[in-house]
């Protein structure tokens, strides 16, 4: 019973925490909406200060919404429905306020003129706030510049992709060439082994041929010695040689 009671109190505290986060975000949105409504009053300097204050309030609301979202992730899925709806309403309110702040900033900002020599100085706006046509023209120019930048980025990405494909093709060719070189090296090793065997066979054959030649020379020398001994009669008649040889 004690553990279930502690679990119930923890769930109650967690519900109070997330409800507190939601209430804080809603209060921040109300303060931001009120500040945006009065941001166009007064002279230009006062308007800029009020718009800057609205920016700080919007940033504070953004932090509150992030905290609310983090708390909501810890809830069960069946408990997130109501909080998801509240969070979406707060997000929409923040977007609307940011849009109004941007418009009011465009209306309150003075025009800037460049000075020759690279220096710039801001001048007082004698023509009043920007008209809708001027704002739309500036927005069109910004959109055209963005589209051109996107096109350049796509072109660079395409060129990078083509370069990568070409590099992969060259790497594949080099891989095949390395494989062929490896096969050639294996063939050379096999040829070297066969050459060593053949050289050994030739060496053994040459050695046996020398032995035969030496044996023939010794036999010839022995025969000549026998003939000389028989002719000179120094063999004592023991050598079996023909009589014509002895008489010679």
């Amino acid at each position: 019973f004690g553990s279930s009671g502690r679990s119930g109190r923890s769930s109650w505290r967690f519900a109070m925490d997330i409800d507190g986060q939601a209430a804080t975000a809603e209060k921040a949105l109300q303060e931001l909406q009120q500040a945006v409504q009065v941001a166009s009053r007064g002279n230009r300097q006062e308007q800029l200060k009020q718009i800057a204050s609205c920016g700080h309030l919007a940033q504070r609301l953004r932090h509150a919404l992030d905290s609310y979202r983090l708390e909501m992730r810890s809830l069960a899925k069946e408990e997130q429905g109501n909080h998801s709806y509240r969070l979406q309403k707060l997000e929409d309110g923040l977007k609307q306020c940011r849009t109004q702040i941007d418009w009011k900033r465009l209306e309150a900002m003075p025009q800037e003129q460049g000075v020759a020599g690279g220096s710039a100085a801001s001048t007082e706006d004698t023509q009043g706030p920007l008209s809708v046509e001027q704002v739309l023209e500036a927005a069109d120019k910004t959109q055209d510049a963005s589209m051109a930048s996107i096109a350049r980025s796509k072109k660079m990405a395409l060129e990078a992709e083509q370069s990568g494909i070409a590099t992969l093709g060259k790497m594949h060719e080099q891989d095949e060439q390395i494989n062929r070189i490896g096969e050639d090296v294996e063939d050379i090793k096999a040829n070297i082994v066969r050459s060593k065997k053949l050289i050994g066979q030739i060496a053994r054959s040459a050695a046996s041929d020398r032995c035969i030649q030496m044996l023939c020379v010794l036999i010839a020398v022995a025969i000549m010695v026998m003939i000389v001994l028989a002719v000179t009669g120094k063999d004592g008649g023991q050598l079996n040689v023909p009589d014509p040889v002895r008489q010679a």
Side-chain angles (χ1 to χ4, degrees), residues 29-179:
L29 178 60
Q30 292 177 359
E31 293 177 357
L32 176 60
Q33 290 173 343
Q34 293 174 0
V36 170
Q37 290 177 359
V38 299
S40 299
R41 299 176 184 177
N43 57 27
R44 180 171 289 107
Q45 296 297 329
E46 293 178 353
Q47 290 177 10
L48 292 175
K49 290 180 180 179
Q50 292 171 358
I51 291 171
S53 177
C54 290
H56 293 306
L57 291 174
Q59 189 66 24
R60 189 178 71 177
L61 176 57
R62 179 75 270 168
H63 293 325
L65 292 177
D66 292 339
S67 299
Y68 185 23
R69 184 179 290 104
L70 289 174
E71 292 289 342
M72 191 180 68
R73 289 178 181 176
S74 301
L75 291 175
K77 292 184 178 180
E78 59 273 7
E79 297 178 359
Q80 292 182 2
N82 184 31
H83 290 288
S84 297
Y85 177 72
R86 293 175 69 179
L87 179 62
Q88 186 61 42
K89 287 183 63 177
L90 292 170
E91 292 280 0
D92 294 339
L94 176 60
K95 290 180 181 178
Q96 294 176 1
C97 290
R98 284 188 182 277
T99 302
Q100 295 178 8
I101 291 171
D102 292 337
W103 277 101
K104 291 180 182 294
R105 183 179 292 109
L106 287 174
E107 293 177 353
M109 287 294 291
Q111 293 181 349
E112 295 182 357
Q113 295 179 351
V115 179
S119 63
S122 62
T123 60
E124 292 294 332
D125 186 6
T126 59
Q127 298 179 356
L130 295 175
S131 63
V132 177
E133 290 79 6
Q134 290 174 334
V135 172
L136 291 176
E137 183 179 359
D140 291 338
K141 291 181 179 179
T142 303
Q143 186 177 6
D144 293 339
S146 300
M147 294 298 293
S149 177
I150 292 172
R152 289 192 298 270
S153 300
K154 288 183 177 179
K155 182 179 179 181
M156 292 175 63
L158 182 59
E159 291 177 353
E161 182 181 3
Q162 293 177 351
S163 177
I165 293 173
T167 303
L168 288 175
K170 291 181 180 179
M171 291 177 65
H172 182 67
E173 292 177 357
Q174 292 177 356
D175 190 18
E176 292 181 349
Q177 185 177 2
I178 290 172
N179 291 332

